[in-house]
Amino acid sequence: MEFSIKSGNPEKQRKDCVVVGVYEARKLSEAAASLDRVSDGYLSTILRGGDIDGKVGSILLLHGVPGVAAERVLLVGLGKERELNERSYRQAVRASIKALAGLSSGDVATFIAEVVVQKQDVSWRVSQLVEVAVDSVYRFDRFKSKPADSKKGIAKLQVHVSQRADVAAGEVGLKQGQALASGVSFTKDLGNLAPNYCTPTYLAEQAKALGKSHGLQVEVLEQGDIEKLGMGSFLGVAQGSVQPPKLIVLHHKKGKKNQKPVVLVGKGITFDTGGISLKPGADMDEMKYDMCGAASVLGTFKAIAELGLPLNVVGIIPTCENMPDANAMRPGDILTSMSGQTIEVLNTDAEGRLILCDALTYAERFEPQAVVDIATLTGACVIALGHHASGLFSNKDSLAQELLQAGTAAQDRAWHMPLWDDYQGQLDSNFADMGNIGGRAGGSITAACFLSRFAKKYDWAHLDIAGTAWKSGKEKGATGRPVPLLTEFLKQRVGK
Ligand code: BES
Ligand code: MN
Ligand code: ZN
């Protein structure tokens, strides 16, 4: 989809379709009112007929509206005018894009970004429109043997702003929205890719290719390097697979030379069978998504590189498979982590924390201003928060607040969970410094407590994205979350 920004009259656009909003109780938006005037009340007559009432996301397609240059007019419900907020705005945008995706209207002008959304400005509206539009038409069809109908869908989307003076802000929003959408799509593609293709080696190749195309420094540490570093915990997980593990390190160096970097650490389990503590069969295919933390780090690097964000950022991705094998680690095995702390493996399915803990120790060498890890870590987090919020844990309250605010601004929210010492005792082991599980109670919290033991030397936050990184069922697919949250967080860190 090709985007552009313009300020103009809705009735004069020679397009396949123009999109205008209507509010609840059949009130016309400014653009809709303008079409109504030139058509001698054609729209009001239709609204009075009751075919569309303005409820958020409702739609009505009209053909040949008198006095209007475009072939079609798509009416989109915006809900009650005074209640129009971030959520309803995004719903309305999504509904309009989905409606157009099934038609052969390649050239579209939308006036939805002209409406007033509580607390938000033009560039926010444009940026969100772009992000939601790209998200709405996303498909992963690399493995479909027949291509989709290429005549259908939007080829060009012209986004209109109310006045000439808004065009510049609109362009800023467009650039931000496109960079973000590009990062989100990359994250989704990596997540959706089948696990026989998306191996640790593939992720490393993708990181290198991203480095080449986007001017990032990328290093890949191999099994031997990982051994030399003493990452016994990470290697314990990797030893059950024929796929060699990789430790991917990315550098975005656009800040001042002496500025300490923000470090992002992403869990990259390319398939999680559970290992010897084998998972049940139902829905196990979804464990291909267990590398979505890693994918979100790569997507965020893509977005900030495209934005040219003036900041130093390091990405660390430990990646391997969790497989059952003759050589796989056993429950009862004791691993020695890079930090020197020993871990009794009580359940081989609690593998995410085992690869992350060594990556967190590795992060120390960058003397970070902050470290954020992102992981599909626990089923318990899905039970606690469902699929709407990512779980947020931190050893520094101000960092937690920054991430929460970034999530709200980007409409990619997280919820602050406790990390109190009260929970630490659940990790006690009779045979090693700690066990790798803390029992059923507060499972996402004890997982975070485990990680916190390796993140004592810096400000750290952990995002458990087990419930937000992908969708199950009919709409099965990666969401690209939390790339919007992370990108917004990094934007806010510029100059700090
Ligand atoms: N990757 C899973 C977490 C997961 C499970 C995410 C289901 C989304 C849906 C993780 O490696 C895992 O298996 N965690 C275990 C931990 C338990 C053994 C303490 C879990 O959540 O069941
Ligand atoms: Mn697991
Ligand atoms: Zn896992």
Side-chain angles (χ1 to χ4, degrees):
M1 209 183 305
E2 213 181 283
F3 294 91
S4 58
I5 303 290
K6 207 185 159 185
S7 171
N9 296 330
E11 61 274 14
K12 290 194 181 142
Q13 309 304 316
R14 298 197 169 284
K15 302 279 176 191
D16 295 316
C17 190
V18 290
V19 182
V20 296
V22 293
Y23 296 106
E24 217 165 288
R26 303 173 199 161
K27 184 171 184 286
L28 300 170
S29 66
E30 252 179 62
S34 170
L35 296 185
D36 198 44
R37 270 194 302 276
V38 299
S39 65
D40 278 335
Y42 190 88
L43 265 58
S44 349
T45 309
I46 286 188
L47 286 172
R48 254 181 273 122
D51 285 357
I52 182 167
D53 52 11
K55 283 228 161 53
V56 185
S58 57
I59 47 160
L60 185 67
L61 185 67
L62 308 173
H63 286 264
V65 178
V68 174
E71 276 176 40
R72 307 174 184 77
V73 172
L74 182 70
L75 302 181
V76 184
L78 298 166
K80 295 210 176 77
E81 186 170 12
R82 268 187 300 146
E83 289 171 12
L84 185 58
N85 60 18
E86 290 97 338
R87 193 173 126 81
S88 48
Y89 176 73
R90 284 170 61 103
Q91 273 177 303
V93 170
R94 189 174 297 277
S96 67
I97 301 294
K98 290 231 161 171
L100 291 165
L103 302 172
S104 44
S105 39
D107 203 356
V108 178
T110 183
F111 288 78
I112 295 199
E114 290 190 359
V115 299
V116 175
V117 181
Q118 289 167 17
K119 293 183 280 185
Q120 302 294 353
D121 58 10
V122 185
S123 62
W124 184 92
R125 295 196 300 265
V126 172
S127 150
Q128 289 279 317
L129 186 145
V130 171
E131 191 205 337
V132 173
V134 175
D135 185 71
S136 307
V137 300
Y138 175 89
R139 285 167 54 104
F140 188 76
D141 48 15
R142 220 179 111 177
F143 293 93
K144 298 274 191 193
S145 52
K146 290 198 192 85
D149 187 348
S150 62
K151 273 179 278 170
K152 293 226 166 112
I154 309 168
K156 289 185 188 165
L157 184 59
Q158 195 172 63
V159 183
H160 281 253
V161 293
S162 320
Q163 40 189 336
R164 281 259 191 84
D166 286 343
V167 169
E171 298 282 0
V172 171
L174 174 61
K175 199 178 150 229
Q176 310 253 329
Q178 279 181 312
L180 185 56
S182 149
V184 166
S185 297
F186 185 44
T187 298
K188 287 190 199 176
D189 281 348
L190 292 169
N192 288 330
L193 186 58
N196 56 328
Y197 289 85
C198 186
T199 59
T201 304
Y202 178 86
L203 282 183
E205 282 164 3
Q206 288 296 303
K208 279 189 181 154
L210 181 69
K212 264 219 170 111
S213 61
H214 284 66
L216 307 166
Q217 236 171 281
V218 179
E219 253 179 293
V220 176
L221 307 195
E222 308 288 336
Q223 168 111 24
D225 307 315
I226 301 168
E227 280 164 10
K228 275 191 211 115
L229 285 165
M231 294 187 165
S233 185
F234 178 19
L235 289 165
V237 178
Q239 76 191 32
S241 169
V242 295
Q243 296 292 339
K246 309 273 170 183
L247 185 74
I248 306 168
V249 186
L250 306 103
H251 297 268
H252 169 90
K253 291 187 177 167
K254 286 281 167 70
K256 291 209 185 80
K257 249 220 165 104
N258 59 358
Q259 181 197 53
K260 292 180 169 179
V262 176
V263 175
L264 303 180
V265 178
K267 171 179 173 183
I269 295 289
T270 59
F271 196 77
D272 182 10
T273 64
I276 297 300
S277 313
L278 194 64
K279 284 183 182 294
D283 299 327
M284 208 209 269
D285 66 292
E286 295 188 4
M287 283 298 114
K288 71 174 182 180
Y289 291 117
D290 214 17
M291 36 56 72
C292 281
S296 75
V297 171
L298 293 170
T300 301
F301 269 79
K302 187 165 196 193
I304 63 170
E306 288 180 15
L307 288 171
L309 206 68
L311 195 70
N312 294 332
V313 188
V314 176
I316 305 176
I317 296 173
T319 173
C320 68
E321 265 187 336
N322 187 21
M323 299 290 272
D325 175 85
N327 194 46
M329 62 179 178
R330 296 150 287 251
D333 280 5
I334 291 178
L335 306 174
T336 303
S337 68
M338 182 179 176
S339 71
Q341 298 178 89
T342 57
I343 304 157
E344 185 185 12
V345 179
L346 292 166
N347 188 320
T348 65
D349 197 11
E351 86 297 339
R353 61 198 80 180
L354 294 177
I355 71 168
L356 288 169
C357 68
D358 282 338
L360 289 172
T361 302
Y362 189 76
E364 287 172 9
R365 68 186 54 204
F366 301 110
E367 294 177 29
Q369 52 169 284
V371 177
V372 182
D373 79 68
I374 307 99
T376 48
L377 204 63
T378 64
C381 191
V382 191
I383 303 301
L385 297 174
H387 299 288
H388 300 291
S390 304
L392 168 66
F393 304 81
S394 180
N395 63 10
K396 177 95 176 174
D397 240 22
S398 56
L399 176 60
Q401 290 309 321
E402 279 180 67
L403 287 158
L404 288 173
Q405 275 164 22
T408 302
Q411 291 291 291
D412 176 12
R413 287 186 294 187
W415 187 253
H416 199 174
M417 303 277 283
L419 191 69
W420 300 320
D421 282 342
D422 310 52
Y423 294 90
Q424 291 281 357
Q426 287 176 238
L427 295 169
D428 287 350
S429 157
N430 286 348
F431 307 109
D433 295 341
M434 68 194 90
N436 76 329
I437 55 171
R440 275 171 56 80
S444 68
I445 305 169
T446 51
C449 283
F450 179 96
L451 295 177
S452 74
R453 296 175 178 215
F454 301 84
K456 290 208 164 129
K457 300 204 174 134
Y458 43 68
D459 293 350
W460 160 80
H462 157 62
L463 285 165
D464 193 331
I465 58 166
T468 52
W470 76 91
K471 287 183 182 156
S472 309
K474 221 173 146 264
E475 304 230 296
K476 192 186 285 183
T479 60
R481 293 178 68 182
V483 173
L485 181 159
L486 293 169
T487 305
E488 182 63 29
F489 163 69
L490 294 174
K491 276 196 218 163
Q492 301 293 336
R493 273 262 158 172
V494 172
K496 274 201 185 168

